[in-house]
Amino acid sequence: MPEPFVVIGGDAAGLSAASKCKREAPDRDVIVFEKGQWVSYAHCGEPYFVKGEVDKLEDLLSLTPAEIEERDIDLRRGHEVVAVDPDAGTVTVEGPGGEFEQSYGDLLVATGARAVTGPIEGSELDGAFPLHGLDDAAAIRAFLLDPSEDALADVGGTDFVDRERVERFGGMAPPETAAIVGGGYVGVEMAEALSAHGLDVHVFQRSGHLLSPFGEAVGEAVAEELREQGVTLHLSEEVERVAGDGRVERLECAGGTALDVDLAVVGVGVAPNTDLLDGTAVELGEGGAVAVDEYGETSVDGVYAAGDCAEDDHTVTGEPAWVPLGLTANRAGRAVGATVAGDPTPVGSIAGTAVVKAFEQECGRVGLLDDEARDAGFDPVSETITTRSRSGYYPGAAETTVTLVADRASERLLGGTIVGTDRAAVRIDTVATALEADMTVAELERADLAYAPPFSPVWDPILVAAKVLNGKLKD
Ligand SMILES: Cc1cc2nc3c(=O)[nH]c(=O)nc-3n(C[C@H](O)[C@H](O)[C@H](O)COP(=O)(O)OP(=O)(O)OC[C@H]3O[C@@H](n4cnc5c(N)ncnc54)[C@H](O)[C@@H]3O)c2cc1C
């Protein structure tokens, strides 16, 4: 019997790998070490839980610990792996009963990413939160409640939740003014979530645009939407510190702007969790995430990495890239599980396909936009069009803005964005599929996309954009 398949991290990548391996090779021992109490949870639902659209924390679990154990996976919650020794084929684990060593045959590092709050001072004050985990989401929602309400009952998840934190914030006077530091997708989702509770919401963004990876057309549409919904934007403002006497009272910016606030969301970005591998032969890529081959294997035989802690090859450039998102984590984990079970399965490439909802606006992006394309050595040509989402005579038709980017010489499609109110975001999947198929703009223009008045105009917005960009390329 081979040594066990050991997985570090019990969420998307880790549990996808463990489940797939167990399904393909039921006799293989599979052990999952998770340092926290939550496993198989959806980070992506956290803003909607804070908003109140998701009722209880347990609604955000894909599998309960009992369901995982029914799959014959040896799940150890509250167990942190503190060292990896690839030469000895062991990991060192700190659990409730103390420290011990566990040998492995294959090892998957699926430790995810962490919220980065630095270099902002004061992010440890009461009322300053990152949003990276169900306990953060629970604490924020408890803080929004009136102290007369039962916070533990409201948030749910009482078997696992950090009860002390929920009760502490639940007992405080609810906030009235919130600052969100960072106008990325989590910041935009949190602006909507906190506005729904009637807070006066301010978003601070260092650059001049919200949602920078989505390009200017999307950023401007989202800024307009947030302002219309009553959110105050502080663009080109660099937050230096959250100030207060034990509790958040004020936000101070480098340019001198200051604002009295009583809640601050300070997760300005994420970084891969790779400290565990310091001093080992496992190589990291340029961005600090673990470098892997097409099967998710690291520079050390038998040691794999998947999800937010790992790189993958980019669909357009073929070069390693770090894009920490949900599907890629699940997919890479599942592939590694199949590979260690004896069915070598590539983890797939990443196109950076992302969608986000900002109140009524739906936004999507994929591939390389102008600057990224130039940095990757292409000569990008782009075109932005605005058209209707359905036949103009059909109720519900709304403006939809599409940007497509192509390489001038090869006319190959490189990327695109979309924004609009009527199911705009999912249309980005057409562009993602075209990138996967290495299409030129002319090939995309000839794609046979669906048409009926309730769903689309005769010329789908993506086709209109391809037609206009193709014309520009032929000029
Ligand atoms: C608020 C929020 C919203 C998001 N929304 C979206 C979205 O809409 N769409 C999308 O595609 N993606 C979204 N994401 C990103 C998505 O959630 C991640 O890409 C995905 O969860 C990554 O899965 P993972 O398994 O790699 O890492 P994680 O989900 O971070 O899991 C890693 C696990 O490893 C554990 N761990 C770490 N170190 C150790 C150790 N040493 N020992 C034991 N256990 C350890 C951690 O406790 C954690 O449970 C969102 C993320 C956040 C935070």
Side-chain angles (χ1 to χ4, degrees):
M1 178 67 84
E3 291 283 356
F5 174 35
V6 168
V7 175
I8 314 174
D11 193 27
L15 279 174
S16 297
S19 299
K20 182 66 177 167
C21 179
K22 234 2 201 179
R23 230 178 356 260
E24 300 296 320
D27 293 337
R28 183 87 192 258
D29 286 337
V30 178
I31 306 173
V32 176
F33 293 113
E34 166 54 52
K35 69 177 179 182
Q37 291 304 315
W38 296 105
V39 286
S40 190
Y41 50 91
H43 278 304
C44 315
E46 288 161 9
Y48 304 102
F49 169 78
V50 172
K51 185 177 177 187
E53 277 177 342
V54 176
D55 189 24
K56 298 279 184 250
L57 281 174
E58 48 265 33
D59 298 339
L60 296 178
L61 302 185
S62 305
L63 294 171
T64 63
E67 287 167 332
I68 294 164
E69 278 153 19
E70 273 167 26
R71 295 181 179 195
D72 200 19
I73 293 167
D74 183 355
L75 174 65
R76 317 262 188 99
R77 292 184 292 133
H79 284 71
E80 179 168 5
V81 175
V82 292
V84 176
D85 184 346
D87 295 331
T90 58
V91 293
T92 307
V93 187
E94 272 177 14
E99 197 171 286
F100 63 95
E101 301 221 324
Q102 171 66 53
S103 55
Y104 63 79
D106 296 288
L107 177 70
L108 172 63
V109 181
T111 47
R114 62 181 178 282
V116 177
T117 51
I120 297 164
E121 291 170 36
S123 47
E124 72 293 345
L125 290 173
D126 264 351
F129 303 88
L131 183 65
H132 204 276
L134 300 198
D135 286 318
D136 293 332
I140 297 173
R141 194 158 112 177
F143 194 23
L144 297 171
L145 292 174
D146 188 276
S148 64
E149 293 180 63
D150 181 344
L152 274 174
D154 180 80
V155 302
T158 41
D159 286 350
F160 313 111
V161 77
D162 183 341
R163 302 171 76 99
E164 188 274 328
R165 200 170 166 209
V166 167
E167 282 175 338
R168 199 157 58 83
F169 283 103
M172 292 181 186
E176 292 177 359
T177 306
I180 294 165
V181 183
Y185 75 92
V186 174
V188 164
E189 290 172 349
M190 284 303 288
E192 180 181 331
L194 295 174
S195 295
H197 288 273
L199 272 72
D200 177 18
V201 176
H202 296 251
V203 176
F204 289 80
Q205 165 78 345
R206 192 168 47 179
S207 73
H209 283 282
L210 297 175
L211 293 178
S212 315
F214 288 69
E216 275 184 33
V218 177
E220 279 165 18
V222 169
E224 196 179 318
E225 174 74 3
L226 261 60
R227 287 190 182 107
E228 269 175 25
Q229 299 282 351
V231 175
T232 307
L233 300 184
H234 304 263
L235 302 178
S236 306
E237 286 277 13
E238 181 155 6
V239 174
E240 263 187 348
R241 82 178 54 80
V242 185
D245 184 11
R247 187 170 162 171
V248 170
E249 291 168 15
R250 208 172 49 262
L251 208 77
E252 297 171 359
C253 297
T257 304
L259 178 75
D260 288 346
V261 298
D262 35 24
L263 185 159
V265 179
V266 286
V268 289
V270 287
N273 279 329
T274 57
D275 295 356
L276 189 59
L277 301 171
D278 288 352
T280 71
V282 175
E283 286 171 14
L284 304 184
E286 275 179 25
V290 185
V292 293
D293 68 10
E294 65 172 317
Y295 297 101
E297 193 165 23
T298 69
S299 52
V300 172
D301 278 357
V303 178
Y304 297 80
D308 282 8
C309 65
E311 293 181 336
D312 276 321
D313 287 343
H314 196 281
T315 306
V316 178
T317 64
E319 297 294 319
W322 183 59
V323 187
L325 287 172
L327 171 67
T328 39
N330 280 278
R331 195 183 58 184
R334 190 170 190 274
V336 169
T339 298
V340 302
D343 174 20
T345 303
V347 293
S349 63
I350 44 171
T353 318
V355 286
V356 59
K357 175 174 169 296
F359 292 91
E360 299 307 318
Q361 293 289 343
E362 297 181 22
C363 320
R365 61 93 56 219
V366 67
L368 303 179
L369 306 184
D370 283 327
D371 289 346
E372 297 160 313
R374 215 166 282 117
D375 291 347
F378 295 101
D379 179 11
V381 185
S382 64
E383 194 58 73
T384 299
I385 59 100
T386 298
T387 183
R388 312 286 281 176
S389 58
R390 314 177 190 202
S391 297
Y393 55 81
Y394 194 87
E399 280 193 352
T400 304
T401 299
V402 179
T403 298
L404 289 181
V405 183
D407 178 48
R408 188 183 302 276
S410 63
E411 302 187 1
R412 180 185 168 201
L413 189 69
L414 299 177
T417 70
I418 192 162
V419 60
T421 54
D422 182 27
R423 300 158 302 131
V426 289
R427 291 190 199 266
I428 203 67
D429 287 341
T430 304
V431 186
T433 308
L435 291 182
E436 201 66 44
D438 255 343
M439 280 185 172
T440 62
V441 180
E443 285 167 338
L444 175 59
E445 187 191 337
R446 289 195 294 272
D448 181 15
L449 301 190
Y451 157 62
F455 305 108
S456 171
V458 178
W459 292 89
D460 182 280
I462 300 290
L463 295 181
V464 176
K467 191 158 54 158
V468 175
L469 179 55
N470 201 22
K472 191 169 180 177
L473 286 165
K474 301 289 180 230
D475 273 352

